[in-house]
Amino acid sequence: MSLGACPIPISDYPVVTMAHGGGGRLSRQLVERMFSAAFDNEWLREQHDGAVLPAEGTHPVMTTDSFVVSPIEFPGGDIGKLAVCGTVNDLAMCGAVPRYLTCALVIEEGLEMDALWRIISSMGETAKEAGVQIVTGDTKVVARGQADRLFVNTSGVGFVESRHAVRPSAIRPGDALIVSGDGGRHGVAILATREGLSFESAIETDCAPLHREARALVESDVEVHALRDLTRGGLATACVERASGSLRFRLDESSVPVREDVRGACEIFGLDPLYVANEGRFLAIVPEAQADQALDLIARHGPTDTEPRRIGTVDEAVRGGVILRSIAGSERPLDMLSGEQLPRIC
Amino acid sequence: MSLGACPIPISDYPVVTMAHGGGGRLSRQLVERMFSAAFDNEWLREQHDGAVLPAEGTHPVMTTDSFVVSPIEFPGGDIGKLAVCGTVNDLAMCGAVPRYLTCALVIEEGLEMDALWRIISSMGETAKEAGVQIVTGDTKVVARGQADRLFVNTSGVGFVESRHAVRPSAIRPGDALIVSGDGGRHGVAILATREGLSFESAIETDCAPLHREARALVESDVEVHALRDLTRGGLATACVERASGSLRFRLDESSVPVREDVRGACEIFGLDPLYVANEGRFLAIVPEAQADQALDLIARHGPTDTEPRRIGTVDEAVRGGVILRSIAGSERPLDMLSGEQLPRIC
């Protein structure tokens, strides 16, 4: 952990107590020694109720996410990294450059102080990687049994600096569907940890900030019609949410990249990888003629452990929806799941 | 309830289920029928991952708060009203005009759908009263026993439109301390509900948005040095947080307005009203010569069931802090509480 040891003396406070959330002396100590150390910036130093940010002439974009993932630490990440990436990615998917984050914690009394510090450190490091500052926050502590270890809310503000905002209403028949990398890794990593299963090598979450590749796309000549990060419900749900009205998405299952170990784990768990969550992959919808350029930009600016693929096209139909051409060659409609496939995956 | 009956058919779904948080069909139904109905605006209709807001030439201000109050409904308010007011007030205390809010829910499986609707309606109504729009949100559902009914996070963005931003570093010796109304009502209302105590007439929370009186102050000629809403830790904690370096706050206990029924309840609970939370009162610090003007502005624009009072002065000392001149005439220092006086009060 590059930020060093826990700055709260864990001999005095091995776990978080109710008093750490009471708004008094211990609350202040937690904020000043731990959060300010990990997130250090001029706004936190001001110790105001909120952060007064520099004026910008462009559209602000605002987003929020609460994270309740269980367990709070897992291969390749933790709830803090997940929260920062999730909020950065929501902003990036709107075509914005992510800039400022808030961090609000609901902590169950008894959480190990050292675990809290690992997660706060991880948030600080991920924020740095993503080029954002955590400018204000809030901490509540509830009694044992009234929450499950730690819930994290991150809200974010970014600014649209490019020529055009990315809006789902821009999708047109003839557009190409592109996925930025391999599917299902986050969901499988969490589920394997939860079930105590280990595979030949641990499957790590794909959790990562997507600001670089998203920015490269929106600042290029590519007329980006939609961007959507793949979270709960995976690629299938992202497509169903965007295919509406008279837009029909045609997906080619054989083009969708899923790693062999992830596919094997999905078989064991009885899951369809198309519906399993990622936290560092996205769907891009661009005009057919610019698909190759978009693939090239994502490959150059995205993570090196995977590559983007063209997975289908948008066409016009009397009634919208998503049609999957399976590996076996048959066609079937994809829909949202009505139940809960994987609770507390993010 | 001016928004009418619960828009989710409670014969089908009398309580929130895990599937309402799964990101699939039922999640979408909850968002479209309930949240969009209560918070209706152009940004929610866009159904994006975030809200692309209009550009403004002035400083954006950003804030966040998570609310875990128990019970979630109480005399004069509920967790939703509390959340909207809390975030509106944090923005107002920075000298900003509150504009956009996010709403992120962590719901315990089994929460009555009708209770959720009452709270969401209340958020919509309070947002309208405060002149803010709830532009984006997030919903997570956790299993029974993993949270306590409902936790609400609201984050907010406002813009500083006045000539000067309000910053705690502007406080000067000679400034007057003003409290905008009577103390301790929110904390006593919650505690009485929780303990099942009833007084001659129910003590209602003072929970209210403070945007009008705060705006009147920052847009006037008054050189506002600091504004601070009284939440956890009450008036005493707000003063201790602001009195630092060589600034000493001198409070006159006999000037601090506390209603007789609230004072009586505090005696029963063994609480010092100076440390009990409000959710619709604030501390204003202004130059001595402008104290009367500030009192007049707060009285004209604030709630009609209370009135602002001058409660003390700032002077210079070798070491800062807060000195209380008690009703009996003796002087004692006030400090932060180190423990947790009233858990889950907000």
Side-chain angles (χ1 to χ4, degrees):
Chain A
M1 202 57 57
S2 67
L3 284 165
C6 180
I8 303 286
I10 57 178
S11 51
D12 296 343
Y13 298 105
V15 301
V16 176
T17 65
M18 291 301 289
H20 284 105
R25 189 189 303 277
L26 286 183
S27 293
R28 188 165 177 165
Q29 187 189 72
L30 193 65
V31 169
E32 290 181 355
R33 295 206 197 163
M34 185 181 286
F35 305 152
S36 295
F39 305 152
D40 184 50
N41 58 56
E42 62 189 287
W43 296 280
L44 289 180
R45 282 192 292 272
E46 189 78 28
Q47 294 192 12
H48 212 331
D49 282 323
V52 180
L53 308 170
E56 304 246 358
T58 59
H59 288 271
V61 179
M62 194 176 179
T63 184
T64 190
D65 267 306
S66 283
F67 293 83
V68 297
V69 66
S70 172
I72 58 175
E73 297 179 281
F74 42 82
D78 56 65
I79 192 172
K81 179 179 178 183
L82 193 64
V84 173
C85 290
T87 296
V88 161
N89 294 350
D90 277 353
L91 294 171
M93 296 299 105
C94 291
V97 177
R99 296 286 291 281
Y100 306 106
L101 262 56
T102 61
C103 167
L105 308 176
V106 176
I107 308 175
E108 184 190 16
E109 179 190 24
L111 178 69
E112 309 78 21
M113 193 62 80
D114 218 30
L116 179 60
W117 172 238
R118 285 194 299 275
I119 285 157
I120 294 297
S121 303
S122 168
M123 293 185 78
E125 286 165 16
T126 310
K128 200 168 174 188
E129 186 194 340
V132 296
Q133 312 240 36
I134 299 173
V135 295
T136 189
D138 181 55
T139 308
K140 297 291 185 328
V141 180
V142 299
R144 281 173 208 268
Q146 295 177 349
D148 188 12
R149 295 175 61 74
L150 178 64
F151 301 149
V152 178
N153 177 280
T154 41
S155 299
V157 165
F159 295 89
V160 176
E161 296 181 357
S162 65
R163 282 156 298 176
H164 55 279
V166 178
R167 295 201 129 113
S169 50
I171 305 169
R172 299 278 173 270
D175 283 353
L177 302 172
I178 290 170
V179 70
S180 72
D182 63 308
R185 261 165 61 193
H186 176 71
V188 165
I190 297 292
L191 205 55
T193 311
R194 214 183 274 169
E195 304 294 327
L197 292 182
S198 58
F199 298 94
E200 276 175 51
S201 58
I203 295 172
E204 294 200 333
T205 175
D206 55 272
C207 175
L210 299 168
H211 60 296
R212 291 186 198 91
E213 48 269 51
R215 187 168 186 174
L217 278 176
V218 298
E219 290 186 351
S220 73
D221 297 331
V222 176
E223 196 184 296
V224 180
H225 288 166
L227 298 173
R228 173 80 184 174
D229 56 334
L230 310 182
T231 57
R232 282 183 292 188
L235 177 62
T237 303
C239 287
V240 173
E241 283 183 358
R242 289 293 172 259
S244 60
S246 60
L247 295 172
R248 187 168 55 188
F249 286 19
R250 292 192 162 275
L251 291 188
D252 180 4
E253 190 172 18
S254 65
S255 306
V256 177
V258 179
R259 268 178 19 185
E260 273 316 303
D261 55 354
V262 172
R263 196 179 294 281
C266 283
E267 275 171 26
I268 292 170
F269 294 130
L271 298 173
D272 180 344
L274 288 173
Y275 286 91
V276 178
N278 288 90
E279 289 290 341
R281 305 286 181 253
F282 65 100
L283 174 72
I285 307 180
V286 303
E288 164 67 36
Q290 295 181 304
D292 287 340
Q293 192 186 345
L295 284 165
D296 181 57
L297 285 166
I298 299 170
R300 270 197 287 148
H301 296 273
T304 53
D305 63 344
T306 188
E307 54 186 39
R309 292 284 292 277
R310 202 177 145 173
I311 56 166
T313 54
V314 179
D315 68 19
E316 203 159 6
V318 178
R319 199 154 164 268
V322 180
I323 304 290
L324 180 77
R325 186 179 172 82
S326 74
I327 294 170
S330 62
E331 291 198 337
R332 63 181 170 96
L334 290 185
D335 203 350
M336 285 196 179
L337 299 177
S338 64
E340 168 63 298
Q341 193 187 36
L342 293 171
R344 298 186 60 188
I345 209 73
C346 61
Chain B
M1 199 58 58
S2 67
L3 284 164
C6 180
I8 303 286
I10 57 177
S11 50
D12 297 342
Y13 298 104
V15 300
V16 177
T17 66
M18 290 301 289
H20 284 105
R25 190 189 303 278
L26 287 183
S27 293
R28 188 164 178 166
Q29 188 189 74
L30 193 66
V31 170
E32 290 181 355
R33 295 206 197 162
M34 185 181 287
F35 305 152
S36 295
F39 305 152
D40 184 49
N41 58 55
E42 61 188 288
W43 296 279
L44 288 179
R45 284 193 291 272
E46 190 78 29
Q47 295 192 10
H48 212 332
D49 283 321
V52 180
L53 308 170
E56 304 245 359
T58 58
H59 288 270
V61 179
M62 195 176 180
T63 183
T64 190
D65 268 305
S66 283
F67 293 84
V68 297
V69 65
S70 174
I72 58 175
E73 297 179 280
F74 43 82
D78 56 64
I79 191 171
K81 180 179 178 183
L82 193 64
V84 172
C85 291
T87 296
V88 161
N89 293 350
D90 276 353
L91 293 171
M93 295 299 106
C94 292
V97 177
R99 295 286 292 280
Y100 306 106
L101 261 57
T102 62
C103 166
L105 307 176
V106 176
I107 307 174
E108 185 190 16
E109 178 190 23
L111 178 69
E112 308 78 20
M113 193 62 80
D114 218 31
L116 180 61
W117 172 238
R118 285 195 300 276
I119 285 158
I120 294 297
S121 304
S122 168
M123 292 185 79
E125 286 165 17
T126 311
K128 201 168 173 187
E129 185 194 342
V132 297
Q133 311 240 35
I134 299 174
V135 295
T136 189
D138 180 57
T139 309
K140 297 291 183 332
V141 181
V142 299
R144 278 172 208 271
Q146 296 177 348
D148 188 14
R149 294 176 62 75
L150 179 63
F151 300 149
V152 178
N153 176 280
T154 41
S155 298
V157 164
F159 295 90
V160 176
E161 296 181 358
S162 65
R163 282 156 298 178
H164 55 280
V166 178
R167 294 205 130 112
S169 50
I171 305 168
R172 300 275 172 273
D175 282 353
L177 303 171
I178 290 170
V179 70
S180 72
D182 63 308
R185 261 166 61 193
H186 176 72
V188 166
I190 297 293
L191 205 57
T193 311
R194 217 184 272 169
E195 304 294 327
L197 292 182
S198 59
F199 298 94
E200 276 175 49
S201 58
I203 295 173
E204 294 200 334
T205 175
D206 55 272
C207 176
L210 299 169
H211 60 298
R212 292 186 197 88
E213 49 270 52
R215 187 168 185 173
L217 277 176
V218 298
E219 290 185 351
S220 73
D221 297 331
V222 176
E223 196 185 297
V224 180
H225 287 166
L227 298 173
R228 172 80 184 175
D229 56 333
L230 310 182
T231 57
R232 282 183 291 187
L235 177 63
T237 303
C239 287
V240 173
E241 282 184 358
R242 289 291 172 261
S244 59
S246 59
L247 295 172
R248 187 169 54 186
F249 286 18
R250 291 191 163 277
L251 292 188
D252 180 6
E253 190 170 17
S254 64
S255 307
V256 176
V258 178
R259 269 179 19 185
E260 272 316 304
D261 55 354
V262 172
R263 197 180 293 282
C266 284
E267 273 170 26
I268 292 170
F269 294 131
L271 297 173
D272 181 343
L274 288 174
Y275 286 92
V276 178
N278 288 89
E279 289 290 342
R281 304 287 180 254
F282 65 101
L283 173 71
I285 306 180
V286 302
E288 164 66 37
Q290 295 181 305
D292 287 340
Q293 191 185 347
L295 285 164
D296 181 58
L297 284 165
I298 299 171
R300 270 198 287 146
H301 297 273
T304 53
D305 63 344
T306 187
E307 54 186 39
R309 292 284 290 278
R310 202 176 144 169
I311 56 165
T313 54
V314 179
D315 68 17
E316 202 159 8
V318 178
R319 200 154 163 269
V322 180
I323 304 290
L324 180 78
R325 186 179 171 82
S326 75
I327 294 170
S330 63
E331 292 198 336
R332 65 180 169 97
L334 290 184
D335 203 351
M336 285 196 178
L337 299 177
S338 65
E340 169 63 300
Q341 192 187 37
L342 293 171
R344 298 186 60 188
I345 209 73
C346 61

